[in-house]
Amino acid sequence: MDRERITKDGRKLKMSLQETKLWESLSEPRGPLASIQLSARESLKSRGMPAASEETWRLTDFQLLESILHLPLSSSASESNCSSVFDMPSPPTEGFRLMLSPGSEPLGLESLPKGFNLLNSEELKEVLGKALEHCGSNEDWSVGLNNSCVDNVLALRVEGIDLPSLELVISGKDGEFSATRVILLVEKNTHLNFLQVLLGAFNSAHSHLIEIHLAENASLNHEWLAFGGGKSSFLSHIAVEQQPKSDYSFTSIQKGWLFSRFEPCLVQVNGQASTKFRGLQIADSNEQIATNSTIRFDGPEGDLDQLHKGIAAGTSHSIFNGCIEVPQPAQRTSAAQLSRNLLLSNRSRVDTKPELKIVADDVRCTHGATVTELQEEQLFYMRSRGIEQIAAANLLLRGYCQEIISSLPMSFDRWKVLEHVLEGLRG
Amino acid sequence: MINSNSELILEISDLHAQVEGQKILNGVDLQIRSGEIHALMGRNGSGKSTLSKVLAGHPAYKVTNGKVLYRGEDLLGFEPEERARLGLFLGFQYPVEIPGVSNIEFLRVSTNSRRKQLGEEELDIFSFEDFVDSRLKLVQMNPSFLERSVNEGFSGGEKKRNEILQMALLEPILSILDETDSGLDIDALRIVAGGVNQLTNQDNATLLITHYQRLLDEIKPDFVHVMSSGRILRTGGSELARELEDSGYEWIENELPKTGES
Ligand SMILES: Nc1ncnc2c1ncn2[C@@H]1O[C@H](COP(=O)(O)OP(=O)(O)OP(=O)(O)O)[C@@H](O)[C@H]1O
Ligand SMILES: [Mg+2]
């Protein structure tokens, strides 16, 4: 493979060693996604690596990004050496668990409960990439990377009432770069509780892509726990398509990744739906954790309530870019976005950029961002009541995280979210 | 009740302190014995809250001269949390809001830190609920405030009641109540004052910072001090407060400084 390429606009680009390595390590396209793999590889090659000149990649630590590509791509044959950092709790009593390991069939599929069905290849063809297309994220580099590498997709259709909750556990593999892809269709009048747990493994890199379709009147409570460990990295992209009268509540936690980039994208295709985003990301030591969320209203009377919190400790870097698009048809949209950030050390860094792109005129949209430190007056108040400095800082941190963690009904207790979030954090 | 043989709880001598490079306290002298109630009055900005913060150990306030003995020990050598455990309590003029931290959890952790110091058994969630219930009655506070975040969204008066609730839980030896009366309606003032009166006894002492005679009608002080420009300018009995109510501060400030013994 040559180390140069011609981009679409005719520029000549040099390929980095890492990138070359990636392309060399990819196996021949195969399986149901072969054609997608092929075209994704082509366009990714001509696009080249993300660059600081691209707005959403501007603050990226490219060394960390490239080091992901340094790892060999995991193949289906490789032994799964899953994350051992976590003691996996037993599955939810009112639900069931699927384990997704890169390159192999998901575990637990043999006995899907009533209401849960795998898509056949015809159905898959129809929906594959549709949410991405609606979200306009087909050309995103992270999506292209996933498309180039992943050779299997877990595609589920969910329909019915009183369904058991679904817990999907995905683990990276130590010393490997792996990719997984999921499609979830939540049909009319269906309510689902869905927990995704994404675990890193010491020196793993993982790319995850999920497309979600919410039909009319569907409602989905989506919990997302992404816990890395060691030097693990994580690139993830969510594309959600919401039909009118659907209800989507998404709560995400990211912690413990040397490098993590998280791209939730959502579109209310005809407005009139309700969306709630709650996010907490914690960056410590020399980590870089980023969230780039994009939410668009393509119809009237949509509703969004978004709160994103970041904590930066050590020499870490926490990034939030949140874009809300309210084009002309999205009259009477009501959207609120708030980014709140906490700096725990004077060597850590926070960048936050909430952004509203409003064209419609009759809307109620608010946004804001704060970056603060632990409040000295609050600490003193607690100390003056006999509470040790460290314990006081811990109570404050817990209070700070609680606001997000309290919207994790499925995972809060079982996955000991609060403990994991606070572990190792020092105010 | 004055008894010159009772234990000297607080002994402040020639205390100078500054905040952000600005001198606020300029030689405060004050002695408080157990069983005594002292009132500290003075114009806005005279340094009353600063004195209370210095005594409680606020890190932003630097002591530049003088010393403070608390029951014979060097108070300034202790961290704020140690002072609290040793029985010093500051009821804040402006209690801070702490979103996300539940009031009952906060009260339990602080109560246990004091109890540990006293060699008493720490209270688990259930036994603490019983304990706090009995103390709530003292300030006639609605239990629903326990479930909320510390002071968050509390009205001015509710915050002050929460302060006295904390005083009741911590059973301090020296309570400094910084304008606990301001923001209280007439009934609430009587309730809070009644609570404070029930908590005071021969083994503890109280320093009331206030602007108003109304509080001192409810809690009778043994001594009244007037602070001006970071010093105690005059000390007298409860009649001094009434004179201030009638004539303001000017006449004292125009006299030669005369600091009384307590
Ligand atoms: N953190 C601070 N930074 C700057 N100045 C301060 C600070 N704290 C107090 N001061 C100043 O010190 C002076 C004394 O303030 P202090 O709060 O002690 O007054 P006070 O006697 O309690 O007044 P009030 O009756 O209004 O409560 C004031 O001029 C105030 O502005
Ligand atoms: Mg004051």
Side-chain angles (χ1 to χ4, degrees):
Chain A
M1 190 169 300
D2 58 333
R3 304 278 300 274
E4 272 188 351
R5 46 137 171 263
I6 313 290
T7 63
K8 278 181 192 154
D9 52 0
R11 283 175 301 140
K12 247 186 187 177
L13 271 184
K14 243 180 124 66
M15 236 184 254
S16 74
L17 191 62
Q18 272 77 16
E19 200 186 348
T20 315
K21 261 192 167 162
L22 169 73
W23 299 122
E24 283 168 358
S25 74
L26 291 178
S27 52
E28 278 302 300
R30 61 189 172 84
L33 303 178
S35 65
I36 289 180
Q37 279 184 19
L38 212 59
S39 65
R41 289 177 193 183
E42 280 316 307
S43 66
L44 209 62
K45 258 190 259 180
S46 69
R47 181 201 189 281
M49 288 290 286
S53 56
E54 296 171 64
E55 184 53 32
T56 72
W57 291 91
R58 196 167 55 89
L59 300 161
T60 307
D61 184 328
F62 290 100
Q63 224 169 350
L64 291 180
L65 178 66
E66 292 216 349
S67 66
I68 293 181
L69 308 180
H70 205 71
L71 295 171
L73 187 70
S74 110
S75 66
S76 14
S78 70
E79 277 290 299
S80 126
N81 39 6
C82 284
S83 158
S84 57
V85 190
F86 265 79
D87 287 336
M88 192 118 39
S90 48
T93 45
E94 306 286 307
F96 69 108
R97 173 183 289 162
L98 296 177
M99 305 272 289
L100 189 53
S101 181
S104 48
E105 285 294 319
L107 289 175
L109 278 184
E110 316 76 36
S111 54
L112 282 178
K114 193 165 166 284
F116 293 78
N117 289 295
L118 290 178
L119 297 188
N120 64 35
S121 55
E122 282 306 301
E123 296 170 312
L124 182 62
K125 228 182 253 165
E126 211 167 283
V127 294
L128 198 67
K130 220 176 111 199
L132 286 169
E133 201 179 305
H134 273 126
C135 290
S137 43
N138 251 327
E139 300 294 312
D140 288 5
W141 187 83
S142 324
V143 173
L145 182 70
N146 186 279
N147 277 337
S148 303
C149 304
V150 80
D151 50 19
N152 213 333
V153 55
L154 169 65
L156 281 172
R157 180 196 301 283
V158 184
E159 186 165 21
I161 47 169
D162 289 334
L163 294 172
S165 54
L166 165 61
E167 179 168 305
L168 179 62
V169 180
I170 301 173
S171 304
K173 291 181 181 179
D174 189 20
E176 293 182 5
F177 170 65
S178 54
T180 48
R181 182 165 183 182
V182 173
I183 290 181
L184 181 68
L185 308 182
V186 186
E187 297 295 351
K188 270 191 182 172
N189 305 322
T190 299
H191 170 73
L192 178 66
N193 277 309
F194 175 39
L195 165 65
Q196 272 187 279
V197 181
L198 306 115
L199 302 174
F202 306 113
N203 187 25
S204 63
H206 190 81
S207 154
H208 181 67
L209 172 60
I210 177 166
E211 290 179 83
I212 297 175
H213 299 257
L214 290 182
E216 265 190 47
N217 263 323
S219 104
L220 178 63
N221 168 54
H222 188 189
E223 302 178 20
W224 173 279
L225 305 180
F227 290 126
K231 296 194 292 171
S232 52
S233 317
F234 190 37
L235 280 169
S236 50
H237 190 98
I238 301 183
V240 184
E241 185 191 352
Q242 269 189 275
Q243 294 296 329
K245 302 201 186 72
S246 64
D247 197 327
Y248 181 59
S249 168
F250 178 64
T251 307
S252 65
I253 310 285
Q254 291 184 79
K255 190 193 175 194
W257 305 95
L258 178 59
F259 176 80
S260 171
R261 180 183 169 92
F262 179 44
E263 304 169 339
C265 295
L266 181 142
V267 60
Q268 291 193 4
V269 287
N270 280 307
Q272 294 167 67
S274 160
T275 308
K276 184 172 165 189
F277 268 42
R278 290 280 175 271
L280 173 65
Q281 64 187 40
I282 292 142
D284 202 348
S285 44
N286 55 347
E287 300 162 359
Q288 183 180 68
I289 311 246
T291 297
N292 288 272
S293 83
T294 314
I295 293 155
R296 198 176 74 244
F297 298 87
D298 277 352
E301 287 155 18
D303 186 88
L304 167 71
D305 171 13
Q306 181 175 23
L307 172 63
H308 189 85
K309 286 190 166 186
I311 297 178
T315 56
S316 69
H317 188 184
S318 171
I319 302 168
F320 175 72
N321 288 309
C323 185
I324 298 176
E325 296 174 33
V326 189
Q328 191 60 41
Q331 298 297 339
R332 296 175 299 286
T333 294
S334 160
Q337 181 191 63
L338 183 60
S339 155
R340 295 187 58 193
N341 300 279
L342 189 60
L343 280 172
L344 289 185
S345 103
N346 50 16
R347 295 189 304 153
S348 59
R349 175 175 167 193
V350 165
D351 282 280
T352 174
K353 192 176 151 214
E355 191 184 2
L356 288 173
K357 292 183 183 162
I358 304 179
V359 180
D361 33 47
D362 179 16
V363 298
R364 265 189 308 139
C365 295
T366 58
H367 70 161
T370 59
V371 181
T372 53
E373 295 168 21
L374 281 186
Q375 297 293 308
E376 193 179 27
E377 292 307 318
Q378 294 178 341
L379 279 173
F380 175 63
Y381 186 72
M382 293 203 253
R383 295 177 74 194
S384 80
R385 298 298 183 249
I387 302 173
E388 207 80 56
Q389 165 108 21
I390 290 175
N394 236 300
L395 273 176
L396 284 182
L397 280 175
R398 217 164 77 175
Y400 184 84
C401 299
Q402 196 86 42
E403 200 177 355
I404 305 295
I405 292 174
S406 61
S407 358
L408 291 168
M410 252 188 101
S411 52
F412 177 82
D413 279 334
R414 266 183 328 111
W415 284 88
K416 301 197 170 71
V417 179
L418 195 59
E419 279 105 295
H420 288 310
V421 160
L422 292 178
E423 194 187 301
L425 263 193
R426 282 280 162 267
Chain B
M1 186 80 62
I2 311 170
N3 175 356
S4 54
N5 290 328
S6 60
E7 185 196 7
L8 199 49
I9 290 183
L10 188 72
E11 191 176 8
I12 305 176
S13 352
D14 195 27
L15 184 65
H16 292 250
Q18 60 184 41
V19 58
E20 292 179 10
Q22 199 185 329
K23 287 183 175 174
I24 313 286
L25 298 185
N26 299 300
V28 176
D29 293 292
L30 181 65
Q31 295 191 354
I32 298 180
R33 290 180 185 275
S34 66
E36 295 177 352
I37 295 175
H38 291 241
L40 180 61
M41 307 183 79
R43 286 183 196 276
N44 295 133
S46 56
K48 304 180 297 297
S49 295
T50 301
L51 176 64
S52 72
K53 297 261 180 72
V54 169
L55 293 177
H58 194 297
Y61 295 78
K62 301 272 174 285
V63 172
T64 52
N65 198 20
K67 63 176 202 239
V68 181
L69 294 181
Y70 174 77
R71 308 180 83 192
E73 289 191 275
D74 174 20
L75 180 71
L76 304 177
F78 293 115
E79 294 294 322
E81 52 269 40
E82 294 171 321
R83 301 180 196 196
R85 286 182 213 148
L86 291 171
L88 181 86
F89 178 82
L90 169 60
F92 283 74
Q93 182 174 4
Y94 304 110
V96 294
E97 304 194 358
I98 313 180
V101 177
S102 102
N103 202 21
I104 188 146
E105 169 79 351
F106 166 70
L107 295 172
R108 193 173 71 87
V109 175
S110 54
T111 303
N112 279 337
S113 76
R114 173 88 174 113
R115 290 177 72 91
K116 201 169 156 193
Q117 177 83 26
L118 292 173
E120 293 169 10
E121 188 192 355
E122 293 186 44
L123 300 172
D124 63 24
I125 292 172
F126 300 106
S127 38
F128 182 69
E129 274 178 9
D130 293 339
F131 181 54
V132 84
D133 239 26
S134 66
R135 300 288 143 149
L136 277 172
K137 296 203 176 73
L138 205 69
V139 285
Q140 300 186 17
M141 201 164 133
N142 189 320
S144 67
F145 287 102
L146 298 176
E147 304 307 323
R148 290 167 58 176
S149 292
V150 179
N151 293 327
E152 193 185 26
F154 286 25
S155 77
E158 289 160 356
K159 283 179 184 162
K160 296 301 174 70
R161 275 194 211 210
N162 203 31
E163 293 294 286
I164 301 306
L165 173 64
Q166 291 171 48
M167 175 180 166
L169 290 168
L170 297 175
E171 299 176 355
I173 291 165
L174 175 64
S175 305
I176 304 167
L177 303 179
D178 192 354
E179 297 200 22
T180 301
D181 52 337
S182 56
L184 291 180
D185 66 48
I186 296 162
D187 291 337
L189 178 79
R190 218 161 274 146
I191 291 161
V192 164
V196 172
N197 280 329
Q198 281 187 57
L199 293 168
T200 55
N201 56 42
Q202 280 309 305
D203 300 321
N204 58 28
T206 310
L207 177 63
L208 295 170
I209 299 175
T210 184
H211 289 293
Y212 304 110
Q213 178 61 38
R214 226 175 39 197
L215 178 72
L216 304 181
D217 288 339
E218 303 287 336
I219 308 174
K220 299 265 182 308
D222 301 303
F223 298 95
V224 173
H225 311 275
V226 178
M227 192 165 214
S228 173
S229 305
R231 313 187 50 200
I232 289 180
L233 209 54
R234 191 179 185 111
T235 293
S238 56
E239 74 291 342
L240 178 56
R242 275 187 293 271
E243 284 176 71
L244 292 170
E245 183 98 336
D246 293 339
S247 331
Y249 289 109
E250 210 166 334
W251 62 276
I252 296 183
E253 286 167 351
N254 290 338
E255 283 182 10
L256 279 180
K258 154 179 156 201
T259 317
E261 281 277 311
S262 54

